[in-house]
Each structure stands twice: as C-alpha cells, then as structure tokens.
Amino acid sequence: MNSLELREMNADHVVYAYSPNGEGVPGEVEYLFADGKTSVLRQSSDDFNGYYAHKACNKVTECVRKNNLPIKFVQAWY
C-alpha cells in the first residue's frame, strides 16, 4: 500500500510524494508532460528495493492519463 499526496503541479510536470504503508520519510515521483514519462526523484526511506516507487510511478501515470489528479489518495494492491 502507498499513501500518495500531490506536492506540485504546473504546465511541465506533476510531483507526488509517496509513503510505503503510510510510514517513513516520503519519496517523490515526477510525471513529465512533454515526454509522458514518470521517474523517481527521491526514494522513500522505507522503500528498500524500489518496489513501492515503481508502483507509485505506475499509479501516477494512470492518474494523469485519466485526467484525475487527487490531492491525497491510497494505492492498494494484492
């Protein structure tokens, strides 16, 4: 599970903070509108292998494509 929160949005990019299981120092992922790519700006302190960052990148990309950018939300998977 990731907790995500919108940190920044402008004409160039969107930045979301993500926290694995809602804990630890959040990491940040960025979506660039120009090339349609999402990347990890900073990995969370509780994301030891990058798994949660990868999930967060996929979810932010999905949100942008659906034109739905919530301020805060929880991403869960099983």
Side-chain angles (χ1 to χ4, degrees):
M1 175 188 93
N2 270 331
S3 295
L4 290 108
E5 183 175 347
L6 182 63
R7 289 287 172 95
E8 183 180 344
M9 183 175 79
N10 59 37
D12 298 323
H13 69 252
V14 173
V15 177
Y16 271 91
Y18 78 97
S19 298
N21 301 315
E23 300 171 354
V25 177
E28 291 186 335
V29 296
E30 174 187 48
Y31 181 91
L32 296 174
F33 293 118
D35 60 5
K37 305 244 179 185
T38 308
S39 60
V40 179
L41 296 178
R42 184 178 69 239
Q43 194 165 312
S44 170
S45 63
D46 287 357
D47 187 8
F48 304 111
N49 61 7
Y51 178 74
Y52 291 91
H54 175 73
K55 289 285 200 179
C57 286
N58 289 343
K59 188 62 176 181
V60 169
T61 300
E62 177 186 327
C63 287
V64 170
R65 289 185 179 155
K66 289 183 175 181
N67 200 26
N68 179 17
L69 300 172
I71 294 173
K72 283 186 175 184
F73 66 100
V74 173
Q75 173 193 26
W77 58 89
Y78 56 92

